Amino acid sequence: TQLLEQSPQFLSIQEGENLTVYCNSSSVFSSLQWYRQEPGEGPVLLVTVVTGGEVKKLKRLTFQFGDARKDSSLHITAAQPGDTGLYLCAGASGSNYKLTFGKGTLLTVNP
Amino acid sequence: ETGVTQTPRHLVMGMTNKKSLKCEQHLGHNAMYWYKQSAKKPLELMFVYNFKEQTENNSVPSRFSPECPNSSHLFLHLHTLQPEDSALYLCASSRRAVNTEAFFGQGTRLTVV
């Protein structure tokens, strides 16, 4: 069974601070996706990383895929209240219909 | 209207009721999914349809019955549910069923009383 462990589970910070959240597994994934889910809404895809060691930037968000394609991190610079939400990582395997989701990191950015 | 639309957004039903959740996607995707999201648990994949054919039934109890009449519409028929079935039910679609990105609807918040 493939498992994705996300840490920390909860994170509360002040506006302007930097933060990093992690997504770790003992399994290799062909790609890994990050989603953000706001209360009462469905998850929204932020980025997909495919190549080991890949780094992608989305404005103040930086995503990295581990060299071995088993882990990933999301770094947010100068967090804003609009970044508040549940950040989910999901791994895909080449021939599997399933996306394996982590439990998520619930981020709260206080003004 | 674009994206993935789910109705209703909220549903309260008794354990003896029968209800249906509806999902419609306007993205031209070929695969559709039902997920269950409960507190403190990862998203659980329930069903996968690829080109209208069910390709995955992730050990879901028979009180949940999916229906996919075409690639754009997906239903989840509910009957004799239990209180522990209360959760957020999310529909998603993707271009293809394998190793691809999912686009989610807003979900139906289901409460079984």
Side-chain angles (χ1 to χ4, degrees), chain B residues 18-29:
Chain B
K18 288 184 180 181
K19 297 286 184 183
S20 295
L21 310 185
K22 180 182 176 182
C23 177
E24 184 174 0
Q25 60 97 359
H26 304 271
L27 300 169
H29 289 166

Side-chain angles (χ1 to χ4, degrees), chain A residues 1 3-4 13 28 31 41 53 61-62 66 79 83-84 90 96 101-102 109 111:
Chain A
T1 303
L3 292 175
L4 277 168
I13 62 170
V28 176
S31 66
E41 303 292 330
L61 278 60
T62 302
D83 296 326
T84 293
N96 198 323
F101 279 86
V109 182

Side-chain angles (χ1 to χ4, degrees), chain A residues 30-31 33 35 37 40-43 45 48 86 88 92-99 101-103, chain B residues 9 33 35 37 40-43 45 48 55-56 58 88 90 97-102 104-106:
Chain A
S30 54
S31 66
Q33 302 163 20
Y35 295 81
Q37 185 177 18
E41 303 292 330
L45 180 68
T48 300
L86 179 68
L88 296 163
S93 296
S95 60
N96 198 323
Y97 291 119
K98 293 184 182 181
L99 274 178
F101 279 86
K103 292 184 182 180
Chain B
R9 293 293 307 277
Y33 313 78
Y35 283 88
Q37 188 174 35
K40 299 181 181 179
K41 288 185 178 181
L43 265 71
L45 179 65
V48 179
T55 55
E56 182 92 14
N58 201 23
L88 182 68
L90 291 161
V98 178
N99 196 16
T100 185
E101 300 162 342
F104 286 86
Q106 294 172 303

Side-chain angles (χ1 to χ4, degrees), chain A residues 10-88:
Chain A
F10 301 97
L11 185 58
S12 181
I13 62 170
Q14 294 300 120
E15 183 175 1
E17 292 183 7
N18 301 332
L19 66 113
T20 302
V21 298
Y22 300 92
C23 175
N24 296 300
S25 176
S26 58
S27 302
V28 176
F29 293 99
S30 54
S31 66
L32 198 137
Q33 302 163 20
W34 284 92
Y35 295 81
R36 179 170 64 217
Q37 185 177 18
E38 298 183 10
E41 303 292 330
V44 175
L45 180 68
L46 297 174
V47 77
T48 300
V49 285
V50 179
T51 306
E54 182 178 4
V55 176
K56 281 193 174 180
K57 292 192 174 184
L58 185 66
K59 296 184 181 177
R60 293 175 294 99
L61 278 60
T62 302
F63 304 85
Q64 185 161 7
F65 202 12
D67 291 340
R69 290 184 289 134
K70 293 183 178 181
D71 54 84
S72 182
S73 64
L74 160 58
H75 181 79
I76 301 180
T77 304
Q80 299 177 0
D83 296 326
T84 293
L86 179 68
Y87 286 82
L88 296 163

